[in-house]
Amino acid sequence: LHYFFPFALLMTSSTKEQRCNVPDDWVGKLVTIRGYGGFIRNNTESGKIVTDSTHGHGPVVLLIEGRSDGKVAFRLDGTNLYLTQHLYGDSASAEISKILFQVPKLLPEMVPGIIDYAVDQGSTNKDFEGAGFDYRSMTAEPGPPNALQEFTLEQVRFGVFGIKSRFGKYWRSQHWDGLVSQSSHLLGDETWSFTNVTKAVKQESKKKSMTSREIEWGHTGGN
């Protein structure tokens, strides 16, 4: 297991990528996020992050946390779970290989096997959409946030973003089966609309607090 220690270091280290223009207005806010397939929600039965436009399933509320180098993480409100992407593609393979080759006592011939295990190659030209996609769904995993849970916001227009991973992959609304997956480009399926729900949540919290006091006062009066 000590062979995977440098992999853990990668997951907690910061990147030297150029900082993108992240609107400060969104950091620290509670939001819901909607893509082509509907609002993002957490399917607790399957462990997948999905989109759902059907009735009866409310969107998950996410807290946008600021990270180093202009990145953000998305925490499910009221939990220690963060939206998490899978590793795939040449960029991820190259970055992890570079670190593993520097590890003492790790034989160079072992590195390809570790990469094959940890990093998926994604779709190929033989797949129906061609190369550059990863059809696995995002998941919600415990923090503190690591490199698979840190993202850059690329604003398309006000309140609408592309959400890019450290490895240059974008969240994608895989709307035909309701999953949040990844792709290597920023087009329509990769754009996400943010709605600030902080005010609504505070109002709801205030209502609950008032209701609690009313119940308490009513109970006291009854004695």
Side-chain angles (χ1 to χ4, degrees), residues 190-216:
E190 291 78 30
T191 57
W192 300 89
S193 176
F194 289 18
T195 300
N196 183 354
V197 298
T198 302
K199 183 181 294 186
V201 170
K202 287 183 178 178
Q203 289 176 344
E204 183 65 24
S205 177
K206 184 177 180 180
K207 288 180 181 179
K208 290 180 179 179
S209 177
M210 290 176 64
T211 302
S212 297
R213 289 198 299 270
E214 290 169 359
I215 292 174
E216 182 180 347

Side-chain angles (χ1 to χ4, degrees), residues 77-99:
D77 186 41
T79 75
N80 188 39
L81 300 176
Y82 290 80
L83 297 190
T84 307
Q85 286 285 29
H86 297 282
L87 284 169
Y88 91 101
D90 294 339
S91 176
S93 296
E95 186 164 352
I96 295 172
S97 295
K98 182 178 179 180
I99 290 179

Side-chain angles (χ1 to χ4, degrees), residues 22-35 38-42 58-65 72-78 81 83 153 158-161 163 171 192-202:
V22 178
D24 291 336
D25 288 347
W26 293 100
V27 174
K29 301 298 185 182
L30 291 170
V31 301
T32 57
I33 302 178
R34 185 185 181 109
F39 284 101
I40 287 179
R41 68 182 184 88
N42 181 28
V60 66
V61 176
L62 300 161
L63 176 64
I64 301 179
E65 297 183 353
V72 296
F74 297 86
R75 180 165 61 83
L76 277 66
D77 186 41
L81 300 176
L83 297 190
L153 299 183
F158 181 77
V160 179
F161 299 90
I163 308 173
W171 294 15
W192 300 89
S193 176
F194 289 18
T195 300
N196 183 354
V197 298
T198 302
K199 183 181 294 186
V201 170
K202 287 183 178 178

